[in-house]
Amino acid sequence: MAVQKLDAIDGMNQRQNKCFFTSYPEMNEVLNRFTAEAEADDIWTSAEVQELKENRSGNRLCQIVSMALDTAKSNCVETTPPRGRYIRIRCRDMQEQTLIKIQYSCEDRMIREFDKGIIKMRDLIDSVGGYLKFQLDGDKGIIKIAVPDN
């Protein structure tokens, strides 16, 4: 039996008008605004963010996630044809930290480590004692964020 693989854009067409909900209302606004913008750019989005909650970093966590998502979106749009664009957001709590992983389609692109947005994101993460890592793995980019809960 043959299994047909859906292109990212076909998957997006089946998932219009979705909303993400966490226990953190400000983060819901960030995620849902981002999703609407991403869908306008033909980017399929998925998120496992139920564990995302407000922590001691307060509004800075929303800023960090927003900047990371914007970085992923711009890399995705600049490097990937519309039918292959995707962004996956995963979150979990582990060892008194909020861990966020953003994976996105990224073809033939170097991450500009000295981009003003990335520098500001690093400064925000440093101010809360967190961790930020960018990776390119084949045709995907990965942004890993860890922010202490206490």
Side-chain angles (χ1 to χ4, degrees):
M1 173 187 276
V3 176
Q4 181 182 5
K5 183 178 178 183
L6 293 176
D7 286 340
I9 195 137
D10 294 331
M12 183 189 71
N13 290 337
Q14 294 175 7
R15 297 168 57 132
Q16 292 291 326
N17 300 320
K18 63 185 165 197
C19 292
F20 299 115
F21 297 100
T22 69
S23 62
Y24 188 5
E26 291 84 0
M27 188 61 73
N28 293 340
E29 290 178 30
V30 168
L31 293 171
N32 292 318
R33 175 194 51 82
F34 173 78
T35 301
E37 291 172 3
E39 287 181 353
D41 285 330
D42 296 323
I43 300 172
W44 179 82
T45 58
S46 70
E48 292 176 14
V49 293
Q50 297 81 5
E51 291 185 35
L52 196 54
K53 62 184 187 289
E54 188 170 8
N55 68 17
R56 72 173 177 87
S57 61
N59 194 38
R60 288 182 286 186
L61 181 60
C62 289
Q63 291 175 314
I64 292 165
V65 169
S66 181
M67 286 190 281
L69 290 171
D70 288 343
T71 298
K73 183 176 82 166
S74 65
N75 282 323
C76 188
V77 168
E78 290 177 20
T79 66
T80 309
R83 293 193 74 79
R85 294 177 185 163
Y86 68 87
I87 295 177
R88 293 182 183 107
I89 308 159
R90 303 291 178 260
C91 176
R92 65 184 174 148
D93 280 335
M94 187 171 152
Q95 298 176 346
E96 297 182 9
Q97 295 185 87
T98 299
L99 304 174
I100 301 167
K101 179 179 177 182
I102 300 169
Q103 182 177 317
Y104 56 94
S105 59
C106 182
E107 300 173 8
D108 300 323
R109 173 76 190 264
M110 291 298 296
I111 295 174
R112 298 169 290 174
E113 293 284 333
F114 299 105
D115 181 273
K116 288 180 183 179
I118 292 174
I119 290 171
K120 185 172 182 181
M121 194 181 344
R122 284 192 189 283
D123 289 344
L124 278 170
I125 287 182
D126 287 345
S127 74
V128 297
Y131 167 84
L132 174 69
K133 182 174 183 178
F134 290 91
Q135 293 176 274
L136 290 175
D137 182 15
D139 62 351
K140 68 183 172 207
I142 302 168
I143 301 172
K144 293 181 180 180
I145 300 167
V147 179
D149 285 339
N150 53 14

